[in-house]
Amino acid sequence: METVKSTNTWLSNFFLNIGDEVLAIKQTEGKGRRGNTWDSDYGGLYFSLVSPNNKLLPFITGISVVESLVEVKDNIQLKWPNDIIINGKKLGGILCESYGNYTIVGIGLNISNNILLSDAISLKDINYNLDRLDFIYSFKLNFNDNLSLSSEKILEKYTKLDFLIGKKIDWNKGSGIVQSIDVDGSLIVEVSDKIVHLYSEEVSIEKY
Ligand code: BTN
């Protein structure tokens, strides 16, 4: 589509089957996580698809995005729960929204759009020219492969990519050292010799 409010919202209204997908050139009301807006001007990638439910879907999507950015994948990391990071800055984000038996998976990637935030980066900034349709083709192959993996295997892949593991983080209610990711998708953090689990719906990481 040329312009849509949000590819996630559009699919939530009109999808019929698993695998239905929408790519937009521009969004006018792009949505981020936790009720944030997502800058969605020309030059970015705004893509959503309908997936079966899976509690590790944000990780499956993140891993599949990294695997599809073939030429730069060794420089990309994921930041729990679902930011895509390059050179320590945010290259893109993932928004998974559940509707009964289905989840709408939305991906936003900065390609050649102008970046408004100092902690964000685009592929243009690292001289990588990404063809959106090639990316989507490759993403869907990787996504379907990763969907069929066991939770253990998904976590094994994810923990190799996660940017926060081993780092000290501050969140809205505390601070600690990130140890790992649990099979329920929570972040395992050591806080003064105790282990706590952070859930993405409940916390917002403020410093890392
Ligand atoms: C985040 O990091 O906060 C998640 C951003 C997700 C943005 C994408 S762009 C395509 C899809 N449609 C939306 O409205 N949001 C997601």
Side-chain angles (χ1 to χ4, degrees):
M1 288 183 192
E2 175 71 23
T3 303
V4 68
K5 283 185 179 172
S6 150
T7 52
N8 267 37
T9 306
W10 192 92
L11 266 188
S12 71
N13 290 327
F14 299 116
F15 79 87
L16 297 173
N17 292 304
I18 285 181
D20 285 355
E21 61 195 47
V22 179
L23 171 68
I25 304 298
K26 177 183 160 78
Q27 298 183 121
T28 53
E29 292 175 24
K31 297 187 290 186
R33 289 184 57 245
R34 308 174 64 85
N36 292 325
T37 55
W38 185 257
D39 291 331
S40 304
D41 207 351
Y42 292 111
L45 175 127
Y46 313 107
F47 176 70
S48 302
L49 59 71
V50 182
S51 163
N53 292 337
N54 183 311
K55 63 181 188 311
L56 298 181
L57 213 41
F59 302 161
I60 292 170
T61 309
I63 295 164
S64 307
V65 168
V66 175
E67 291 174 344
S68 307
L69 293 171
V70 183
E71 288 165 44
V72 286
K73 72 171 188 229
D74 293 341
N75 298 325
I76 301 190
Q77 289 179 294
L78 297 168
K79 182 162 83 62
W80 181 90
N82 46 15
D83 286 352
I84 300 154
I85 303 286
I86 201 159
N87 295 345
K89 295 186 170 191
K90 185 155 169 168
L91 176 70
I94 292 160
L95 177 67
C96 295
E97 297 180 296
S98 283
Y99 295 88
N101 295 329
Y102 307 98
T103 301
I104 296 181
V105 174
I107 301 166
L109 271 186
N110 299 321
I111 303 181
S112 59
N113 45 313
N114 289 324
I115 301 295
L116 307 173
L117 304 167
S118 61
D119 57 353
I121 191 167
S122 71
L123 290 175
K124 180 179 71 174
D125 296 333
I126 55 160
N127 298 317
Y128 184 32
N129 192 4
L130 182 75
D131 180 286
R132 287 177 186 72
L133 296 183
D134 286 349
F135 169 80
I136 289 169
Y137 179 79
S138 165
F139 171 78
K140 285 190 295 183
L141 293 177
N142 288 321
F143 183 77
N144 286 327
D145 285 352
N146 286 320
L147 258 184
S148 67
L149 297 179
S150 65
S151 300
E152 289 72 23
K153 187 72 199 164
I154 292 162
L155 288 174
E156 187 190 315
K157 282 190 174 196
Y158 186 84
T159 45
K160 283 193 189 136
L161 291 168
D162 193 274
F163 174 82
L164 292 179
I165 292 178
K167 290 208 166 72
K168 177 174 182 294
I169 58 163
D170 291 356
W171 66 97
N172 43 339
K173 289 184 188 147
S175 66
I177 312 276
V178 177
Q179 304 295 311
S180 187
I181 316 277
D182 202 358
V183 275
D184 63 359
S186 61
L187 192 67
I188 306 175
V189 183
E190 189 182 309
V191 183
S192 338
D193 292 336
K194 284 204 192 90
I195 293 294
V196 298
H197 287 245
L198 305 185
Y199 290 88
S200 58
E201 317 78 55
E202 292 163 10
V203 301
S204 131
I205 293 177
E206 290 165 351
K207 248 168 79 187
Y208 46 85

